[in-house]
């Protein structure tokens, strides 16, 4: 049987992707804090790089999901604005 939920898409994917992007931003801020508190002055940027890569992947998946979905749980502009704001955190 054909489901309307399949036709219109599920809203959970957007919330999940925005959550992944938020966690990546949080990890980036934690890495900055750890780097700031470190005694040695050679910054380790690996944690930043990993957080940035995860956020970039989440941002790409959000953009693709917006293209693929017919109906979204909240306005498309709001999803794009949240995704853009979360994208800027690791930068």
């Amino acid at each position: 049987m054909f489901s309307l939920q399949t036709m219109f898409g599920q809203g959970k994917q957007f919330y999940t992707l925005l959550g992944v992007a938020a966690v990546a931003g949080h990890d980036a801020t934690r890495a900055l804090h750890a780097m700031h508190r470190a005694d040695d002055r050679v910054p380790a940027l690996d944690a930043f790089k990993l957080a940035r890569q995860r956020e970039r992947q989440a941002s790409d998946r959000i953009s693709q999901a917006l293209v693929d979905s017919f109906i979204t749980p909240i306005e498309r502009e709001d999803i794009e604005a949240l995704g853009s704001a979360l994208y800027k955190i690791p930068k």
Side-chain angles (χ1 to χ4, degrees):
M1 175 174 216
F2 184 70
S3 171
L4 287 177
Q5 189 174 22
T6 303
M7 180 179 163
F8 293 123
Q10 296 178 350
K12 289 186 276 184
Q13 68 182 355
F14 291 105
Y15 297 127
T16 302
L17 292 172
L18 288 170
V20 168
V23 168
H26 183 257
D27 290 345
T29 57
R30 289 177 57 194
L32 176 65
H33 180 72
M35 186 180 73
H36 179 67
R37 294 189 53 87
D39 291 335
D40 58 347
R41 292 296 172 203
V42 179
L45 300 177
D46 292 337
F48 289 114
K49 181 180 177 183
L50 291 175
R52 177 80 174 114
Q53 287 174 346
R54 286 195 343 242
E55 208 295 314
R56 186 179 304 142
Q57 290 172 352
S59 178
D60 291 342
R61 291 174 59 196
I62 289 169
S63 297
Q64 187 60 41
L66 282 172
V67 170
D68 294 341
S69 296
F70 182 68
I71 293 178
T72 59
I74 55 177
E75 296 291 327
R76 290 178 185 273
E77 293 82 14
D78 293 339
I79 294 172
E80 289 173 351
L82 284 170
S84 176
L86 291 170
Y87 181 78
K88 293 176 184 176
I89 293 172
K91 282 187 162 188

